[in-house]
Amino acid sequence: MEKKTRILVIYTGGTIGMQRDNNGTLVPFDFNTIEQEFPSVRHLNVDISVHKMSPIDSSNVTPALWLELSRIIAESYDNFDGFVVLHGTDTMSYTASALSFMLENLTKPIVFTGSQIPMGILRTDGRENLITAIEIAALRRFGRAVVPEVSLYFQNKLFRANRTTKLSADALNAFDSPNYPPLAEVGVNIVFKENYIRQPRVWGGNLSISNSFVTDVVVLKLFPGIAEQTLRSMLSVEGLRGVVLESFGTGNAPTAEWFIDILRDAINRGITILNVTQCVRGRVAMELYETGLRLQDIGVITARDMTSEAAVTKLMWVLANTTSKEEVAELMLQNLRGEFTE
Ligand code: ASP
């Protein structure tokens, strides 16, 4: 008889497991409300184990949680066929993006999900999200995982995790992947878009984890009227190593001399500046306008169509794993986990 697929569900917290306190405020709770759903989950014919972390609201997530998650996954990697991570929606795209960079030679699914309404509430979206995420993590064809990458499942859509962003604070379809098609759409059937699913370079390789992040970075969103003094102070923070510059449109920024000088000076001091567009859709193309070209000329690096979440987590990870500035630039321009469109 064929062995049942084994799935490890890792619970980190978030609305899915929250309860109201005496003031009616949602606070992290234990796993009980979720576990009550397990009789229905058991019908999936999958062996499910649960690892409960101490539950937090995902606004409190730091790289420490990313390291802890990767440690749990690494330790149980050989004993499970797939992983489902239950996480608060607020920063889920950051954690899932970070994990995608940390885990090399991944051949098993890691599916992130959560909910907008707690499990304990009748109208919860958590039940469907959890059950389908488990089903997707468990799916195998010819002995291999159908989705062997870090993904995010929410409201009938499966996305590549490092392409996602939380777009709605209150809609049930909170997530989107604006620059990459969904990996699967869920209706009566789960329809996979095989061509969009990333396959491992080798199936037999060992999972390798590089687990450190540099937090000396800043995300700097431009706006008309940004003051010289503000920009100068932000970029002269001691120890700063990287900047994700959220620019206008196709990667444009003011051409004022003081603005360019401050950026050039930061680059000369060894700080990496990555150009991400503020637009939800589309990509950076610095060569299009003079306002972009100036940035390119002083050595600002294009993030192409990466999300801010992917850009900042990749930068934090790359900075921790390489020493030279040239190597950092080279890795930022390499498509490591399908995080941008070539
Ligand atoms: N504040 C919650 C969190 O991110 C929101 C959610 O899970 O939907 O932990």
Side-chain angles (χ1 to χ4, degrees):
M1 208 176 79
E2 216 193 314
K3 276 210 304 205
K4 274 192 186 176
T5 312
R6 294 152 306 173
I7 299 297
L8 181 63
V9 175
I10 306 170
Y11 175 55
T12 70
T15 293
I16 193 161
M18 286 191 184
Q19 281 214 334
R20 292 201 188 277
D21 67 8
N22 293 339
N23 303 319
T25 310
L26 283 170
V27 290
F29 195 59
D30 62 23
F31 199 67
N32 295 350
T33 43
I34 302 176
E35 222 143 32
Q36 281 160 17
E37 297 301 323
F38 269 59
S40 47
V41 174
R42 303 263 178 231
H43 290 300
L44 285 175
N45 204 27
V46 168
D47 254 339
I48 298 169
S49 303
V50 178
H51 184 109
K52 302 169 207 181
M53 293 172 71
S54 146
I56 56 169
D57 187 303
S58 77
S59 297
N60 285 319
V61 162
T62 66
L65 180 117
W66 307 341
L67 303 189
E68 178 67 359
L69 262 180
S70 70
R71 192 191 56 76
I72 295 166
I73 291 171
E75 277 177 15
S76 31
Y77 195 69
D78 292 337
N79 298 326
F80 291 91
D81 301 297
F83 301 83
V84 170
V85 181
L86 298 178
H87 193 287
T89 58
D90 288 347
T91 63
M92 194 190 299
S93 291
Y94 290 90
T95 299
S97 296
L99 263 281
S100 79
F101 297 117
M102 293 168 87
L103 306 173
E104 233 174 311
N105 299 329
L106 186 66
T107 54
K108 298 183 179 182
I110 299 179
V111 188
F112 277 76
T113 195
S115 75
Q116 292 278 71
I117 306 174
M119 262 315 196
I121 291 175
L122 203 55
R123 216 162 49 75
T124 184
D125 51 329
R127 188 176 306 118
E128 196 281 325
N129 284 347
L130 172 65
I131 291 172
T132 309
I134 293 175
E135 212 173 325
I136 289 172
L139 268 179
R140 297 167 70 76
R141 201 171 294 144
F142 309 119
R144 288 175 174 175
V146 174
V147 191
E149 60 170 308
V150 184
S151 61
L152 187 155
Y153 178 73
F154 221 84
Q155 269 279 303
N156 304 330
K157 286 198 176 121
L158 181 74
F159 303 109
R160 173 168 303 153
N162 59 30
R163 292 304 200 107
T164 61
T165 190
K166 184 176 179 185
L167 273 191
S168 174
D170 43 24
L172 294 187
N173 59 345
F175 287 89
D176 200 359
S177 160
N179 289 319
Y180 196 74
L183 307 180
E185 302 215 32
V186 178
V188 173
N189 299 306
I190 303 178
V191 181
F192 290 96
K193 314 284 159 123
E194 314 269 348
N195 293 345
Y196 297 128
I197 298 173
R198 200 175 157 79
Q199 300 297 324
R201 250 177 301 154
V202 279
W203 278 93
N206 282 337
L207 179 75
S208 88
I209 299 185
S210 44
N211 52 4
S212 44
F213 290 89
V214 159
T215 51
D216 300 308
V217 296
V218 69
V219 178
L220 199 166
K221 183 170 183 161
L222 293 183
F223 59 92
I226 187 166
E228 179 174 349
Q229 197 41 46
T230 312
L231 188 72
R232 197 180 296 284
S233 324
M234 284 178 89
L235 297 196
S236 46
V237 168
E238 219 188 303
L240 186 69
R241 292 196 51 203
V243 178
V244 173
L245 181 72
E246 288 196 359
S247 61
F248 305 122
T250 51
N252 306 315
T255 47
E257 274 322 312
W258 64 263
F259 182 89
I260 298 295
D261 284 348
I262 294 174
L263 261 55
R264 188 191 294 111
D265 178 58
I267 292 169
N268 289 342
R269 280 184 284 124
I271 295 172
T272 300
I273 305 187
L274 190 64
N275 190 350
V276 172
T277 173
Q278 292 180 11
C279 297
V280 175
R281 279 178 219 286
R283 57 194 291 124
V284 167
M286 289 190 274
E287 66 286 358
L288 272 185
Y289 295 91
E290 189 204 357
T291 43
L293 205 53
R294 292 297 302 273
L295 298 180
Q296 184 167 287
D297 288 347
I298 59 170
V300 170
I301 300 167
T302 177
R304 299 190 172 95
D305 61 354
M306 260 195 268
T307 59
S308 237
E309 292 87 333
V312 72
T313 51
K314 182 176 177 181
L315 186 58
M316 290 165 82
W317 177 78
V318 164
L319 285 171
N321 288 288
T322 46
T323 43
S324 85
K325 197 178 138 194
E326 290 68 33
E327 239 178 287
V328 170
E330 210 175 285
L331 280 171
M332 289 312 300
L333 290 169
Q334 256 179 50
N335 196 353
L336 301 176
R337 310 280 189 265
E339 66 274 18
F340 60 69
T341 312
E342 310 254 351

